[in-house]
Amino acid sequence: MKLKQRVVLLAILLVIFIFTKVFLIDNLDTSAANREDQRAFHRMMTGLRIELAPKLDHTLQSPWEIAAQWVVPREVYPEETPELGAIMHAMATKKIIKADVGYKGTQLKALLILEGGQKVVFKPKRYSRDYVVEGEPYAGYDRHNAEVAAFHLDRILGFRRAPLVVGRYVNLRTEIKPVATEQLLSTFLTVGNNTCFYGKCYYCRETEPACADGDTMEGSVTLWLPDVWPLQKHRHPWGRTYREGKLARWEYDESYCDAVKKTSPYDSGPRLLDIIDTAVFDYLIGNADRHHYESFQDDEGASMLILLDNAKSIRVSTWNRLNYLKNGVLKSALKSAMAHDPISPVLSDPHLDAVEQRLLSVLATVKQCTDQFGMDSVLVEDRMPLSHL
């Protein structure tokens, strides 16, 4: 073989070797990432069921101190949470030492301070479990049980961005009224034999109070985030206009997503992928009203989008987790996670079935996108720097 032919052959072999090596490394990395996603999923499923118990045997810290220490820029609680049952037990049982009207918002809530100084937000029961709200997706009152279910869905999806929520029964006459502020107390009334209140909020009306069953009211309590983590509100880029007949830009402008991707804080960092995770989360829980979202202040887009008051690419880890949850796994996981909540059963079977159907819709939509644009264009590996979005 002539020298020139040998050089050409060696060059070809070298190119093949380099491409093979790169391909194998890429696949090894992908396989390793997928294996880690599988391990994380199995860890989540193993620790899903929470026993609400008062004991914290291994520490002298209060449950409130432990929960406060959990909060970091990218998660509200860690993956491993052996103290979670004790914290939720405290949320559901600790003595209420003060009650006030809720913070600003559109829906009825009360701000409670529990023994030890911990703030929680109480949302009262408005509907029976099997009641179906007709009309627009954002119609009707907030459902207290949806807050509980959304927290556990956040755990199941592995997001860890929703504040802790648990169901609780309170006696309005003996637990709330004696420690209520004048502002809250002035909104109490009696309807038949039931104690009711209507609070202070944008849509709160004396004609539409929340009523207990006698004096006992079912509701949810959401743990207040530590004051050292102040929140900043942002307009959601895919929010609706709230004007009848007026479309938002994303509803008619095909170039809108490209414009969003060039705008801070979506042009770098994880915020855009957080938005998409949240779109999946909101669709699963039936929330069509996230017109704003919160993050920690002065984070320059680095902290998570916080799932309070519960797109174009999707994280590989989110896609993997959604696929692990199909074929009835999501419904089973939710039932297991919520089995020991004080207001269990939290969701009726028709609501659980609806979540399952929405999951299938999400998977089908992403599959349609990957078929049209390719996996590499749709699925983003979130274990790498995200400045390329």
Side-chain angles (χ1 to χ4, degrees), residues 83-103:
E83 307 91 349
L84 184 57
I87 295 169
M88 297 180 74
H89 180 271
M91 292 168 62
T93 61
K94 284 287 187 183
K95 182 180 179 181
I96 299 166
I97 61 176
K98 185 178 179 181
D100 200 357
V101 294
Y103 59 91

Side-chain angles (χ1 to χ4, degrees), residues 4 15 21 30 38 40 48 54 87 105 131 150 166 220 248 259 294 297:
K4 186 175 181 180
V15 170
K21 187 175 180 64
T30 302
Q38 288 177 334
L48 199 55
I87 295 169
Y131 183 84
V166 68
S220 66
E294 286 82 10
Q297 275 187 10

Side-chain angles (χ1 to χ4, degrees), residues 33-77:
N34 287 341
R35 286 197 297 272
E36 175 52 36
D37 287 343
Q38 288 177 334
R39 287 193 291 267
F41 179 74
H42 290 308
R43 287 195 299 269
M44 179 278 297
M45 292 294 287
T46 301
L48 199 55
R49 187 181 290 262
I50 302 172
E51 298 280 353
L52 270 64
K55 291 185 178 181
L56 284 170
D57 294 329
H58 64 291
T59 178
L60 296 177
Q61 290 181 300
S62 75
W64 315 137
E65 290 171 327
I66 294 171
Q69 290 173 0
W70 280 350
V71 182
V72 293
R74 291 297 303 168
E75 61 184 19
V76 174
Y77 54 93

Side-chain angles (χ1 to χ4, degrees), residues 326-337:
K326 62 187 180 183
N327 299 323
V329 176
L330 177 56
K331 179 177 179 178
S332 176
L334 277 169
K335 292 181 78 169
S336 178

Side-chain angles (χ1 to χ4, degrees), residues 25-27 29-30 33 37 74 268-271 273 314-317 375-377 379-389:
I25 289 174
D26 284 348
N27 276 275
D29 288 344
T30 302
D37 287 343
R74 291 297 303 168
S268 63
R271 184 62 58 79
L273 291 177
I314 187 169
R315 285 184 167 100
V316 171
S317 58
M375 298 283 283
D376 290 341
S377 297
L379 301 181
V380 175
E381 178 52 71
D382 53 333
R383 283 163 283 254
M384 64 172 67
L386 301 172
S387 58
H388 66 289
L389 279 175

Side-chain angles (χ1 to χ4, degrees), residues 276-301:
I276 297 162
D277 280 351
T278 306
V280 173
F281 179 85
D282 284 339
Y283 182 71
L284 291 176
I285 67 173
N287 179 19
D289 204 28
R290 196 179 296 278
H291 42 81
H292 289 84
Y293 67 87
E294 286 82 10
S295 70
F296 294 130
Q297 275 187 10
D298 302 322
D299 66 338
E300 297 181 353

Side-chain angles (χ1 to χ4, degrees), residues 77-333:
Y77 54 93
E79 182 180 15
E80 302 291 335
T81 54
E83 307 91 349
L84 184 57
I87 295 169
M88 297 180 74
H89 180 271
M91 292 168 62
T93 61
K94 284 287 187 183
K95 182 180 179 181
I96 299 166
I97 61 176
K98 185 178 179 181
D100 200 357
V101 294
Y103 59 91
K104 293 180 181 179
T106 60
Q107 297 277 343
L108 173 61
K109 58 185 77 73
L111 178 63
L112 308 180
I113 298 180
L114 305 182
E115 187 177 15
Q118 178 63 50
K119 295 178 183 176
V120 295
V121 176
F122 178 79
K123 283 194 175 181
K125 177 181 178 180
R126 288 289 206 166
Y127 302 114
S128 62
R129 291 291 188 274
D130 56 355
Y131 183 84
V132 177
V133 178
E134 303 290 346
E136 299 291 346
Y138 40 81
Y141 304 116
D142 281 355
R143 289 180 181 265
H144 72 296
N145 55 321
E147 293 282 352
V148 177
F151 165 66
H152 290 289
L153 179 63
D154 177 72
R155 294 175 60 219
I156 292 167
L157 292 175
F159 293 165
R160 301 193 291 278
R161 301 172 207 157
L164 277 57
V165 185
V166 68
R168 177 164 180 163
Y169 290 97
V170 298
N171 188 300
L172 295 182
R173 181 176 58 83
T174 62
E175 293 185 271
I176 300 295
K177 293 182 74 173
V179 296
T181 63
E182 284 298 324
Q183 193 173 22
L184 178 60
L185 203 56
S186 66
T187 71
F188 273 78
L189 66 157
T190 301
V191 178
N193 295 321
N194 302 319
T195 303
C196 311
F197 77 102
Y198 56 91
K200 300 281 186 182
C201 69
Y202 187 81
Y203 291 124
C204 290
R205 303 285 186 272
E206 185 175 355
T207 55
E208 300 179 22
C211 291
D213 182 5
D215 292 321
T216 302
M217 175 171 278
E218 179 183 316
S220 66
V221 287
T222 301
L223 196 69
W224 195 272
L225 291 171
D227 292 337
V228 295
W229 294 97
L231 299 181
Q232 180 177 357
K233 181 173 282 192
H234 309 267
R235 179 73 186 178
H236 198 296
W238 283 278
R240 57 192 178 92
T241 64
Y242 287 86
R243 298 177 185 175
E244 188 174 352
K246 182 175 176 58
L247 298 177
R249 181 179 168 186
W250 61 267
E251 295 180 279
Y252 62 84
D253 186 352
E254 289 293 329
S255 67
Y256 177 68
C257 288
D258 290 329
V260 169
K261 286 158 60 174
K262 297 174 183 177
T263 305
S264 179
Y266 311 110
D267 56 347
S268 63
R271 184 62 58 79
L272 184 59
L273 291 177
D274 285 352
I275 288 275
I276 297 162
D277 280 351
T278 306
V280 173
F281 179 85
D282 284 339
Y283 182 71
L284 291 176
I285 67 173
N287 179 19
D289 204 28
R290 196 179 296 278
H291 42 81
H292 289 84
Y293 67 87
E294 286 82 10
S295 70
F296 294 130
Q297 275 187 10
D298 302 322
D299 66 338
E300 297 181 353
S303 82
M304 63 190 163
L305 186 158
I306 300 169
L307 297 174
L308 287 174
D309 218 15
N310 320 276
K312 286 296 183 183
S313 295
I314 187 169
R315 285 184 167 100
V316 171
S317 58
T318 300
W319 174 244
N320 287 341
R321 181 62 61 98
L322 293 173
N323 275 284
Y324 299 152
L325 292 168
K326 62 187 180 183
N327 299 323
V329 176
L330 177 56
K331 179 177 179 178
S332 176

